[in-house]
Amino acid sequence: MTITYEYGGGLYVNLTNRCDCRCVFCLRHNGNKGSIYADDLWLEREPTREEALADLLARDLKSYPEIVFCGFGEPAFRMDDILWLSDKMRESIPELPPIRINTNGHANLILGRDVTPELRGRIDALSISLNGSTPEKYIAETCPKDGEKAWEAMLDFTRRAAKYVPRVVMTVVDNGLSEEEIAACSKLAQSLGATLRVRQYISE
Ligand code: SF4
């Protein structure tokens, strides 16, 4: 079971396969169990928070530029465990590197509460998938199970989280986006208190 793995110098944490979307660009399509990031990311079962903590503390955490909760699914399904892990790591390692979560921004929808105040002092950065400047484009790219409600939830989460998390970045995948679409996404991200990053499309 791959709970943590290194990629691009950072330490990535994989806690769940669960997701409420089916993005057209998702690396998990066609039964893929790994990706360019690591060979075997599909979890036969989710690790407990204690197993994840033991795995993390077995590494030299201070040696990484950042710790990224990413998953081979949507990490917000384990948000309570992520916050617990942040607390435990900070207790053990006083000079912990920044902690980022890569997320689709549906945490409040998934948890049924506003979790954003709980991110303060625990999460240093969020990378939130925007994926489109309108609900129609967003839904076409990400196919969320809750449809337009998921779009609204993602925007609301971003706006709220920007009050508590020092660095909030929204991302779009460049699979042929027009300059107008990128400009519209950038404007939307800024209106929510975030900045936009255009990610390269990865085809495998
Ligand atoms: S939100 Fe992430 S894990 Fe879920 S389908 Fe989209 S790319 Fe895949």
Side-chain angles (χ1 to χ4, degrees), residues 89-131:
M89 285 191 286
R90 288 177 197 281
E91 280 169 29
S92 300
I93 317 280
E95 290 172 22
L96 196 71
I99 296 177
R100 166 161 57 109
I101 306 176
N102 288 356
T103 177
N104 64 14
H106 297 170
N108 292 350
L109 189 61
I110 291 166
L111 298 174
R113 73 175 196 273
D114 178 13
V115 75
T116 56
E118 299 167 55
L119 306 180
R120 189 204 296 261
R122 291 160 146 171
I123 304 303
D124 302 286
L126 288 169
S127 178
I128 301 170
S129 302
L130 174 57
N131 291 322

Side-chain angles (χ1 to χ4, degrees), residues 161-202:
K163 288 188 253 168
Y164 304 109
V165 176
R167 195 160 58 88
V168 179
V169 176
M170 302 191 91
T171 63
V172 289
V173 175
D174 187 4
N175 51 3
L177 295 177
S178 67
E179 281 183 25
E180 291 76 17
E181 173 64 2
I182 291 173
C185 288
S186 180
K187 192 172 167 193
L188 179 55
Q190 284 177 32
S191 76
L192 300 169
T195 55
L196 185 76
R197 183 168 78 87
V198 180
R199 293 167 52 206
Q200 293 305 306
Y201 177 65
I202 298 167

Side-chain angles (χ1 to χ4, degrees), residues 44-176:
E44 295 305 325
R45 66 172 177 85
E46 291 189 353
T48 63
R49 51 169 62 173
E50 290 80 10
E51 286 173 323
L53 182 62
D55 195 303
L56 282 157
L57 294 182
R59 297 192 177 252
D60 180 11
L61 293 178
K62 290 197 298 300
S63 69
Y64 296 99
E66 63 177 344
I67 298 167
V68 185
F69 286 90
C70 185
F72 207 43
E74 170 47 51
F77 279 90
R78 301 289 306 269
M79 185 62 92
D80 288 326
D81 294 324
I82 291 172
L83 298 179
W84 182 85
L85 286 164
S86 170
D87 289 344
K88 292 293 176 190
M89 285 191 286
R90 288 177 197 281
E91 280 169 29
S92 300
I93 317 280
E95 290 172 22
L96 196 71
I99 296 177
R100 166 161 57 109
I101 306 176
N102 288 356
T103 177
N104 64 14
H106 297 170
N108 292 350
L109 189 61
I110 291 166
L111 298 174
R113 73 175 196 273
D114 178 13
V115 75
T116 56
E118 299 167 55
L119 306 180
R120 189 204 296 261
R122 291 160 146 171
I123 304 303
D124 302 286
L126 288 169
S127 178
I128 301 170
S129 302
L130 174 57
N131 291 322
S133 64
T134 65
E136 294 75 20
K137 286 177 181 160
Y138 178 77
I139 290 166
E141 285 290 302
T142 63
C143 311
K145 97 176 160 48
D146 291 305
E148 193 161 335
K149 200 171 158 194
W151 157 262
E152 298 291 348
M154 177 271 298
L155 299 180
D156 186 61
F157 174 81
T158 305
R159 191 183 297 109
R160 290 171 185 268
K163 288 188 253 168
Y164 304 109
V165 176
R167 195 160 58 88
V168 179
V169 176
M170 302 191 91
T171 63
V172 289
V173 175
D174 187 4
N175 51 3

Side-chain angles (χ1 to χ4, degrees), residues 19-23 25-28 72-74 104 129 142:
C19 191
D20 59 335
C21 291
R22 283 188 53 81
C23 299
F25 50 80
C26 185
L27 296 168
R28 312 187 311 170
F72 207 43
E74 170 47 51
N104 64 14
S129 302
T142 63

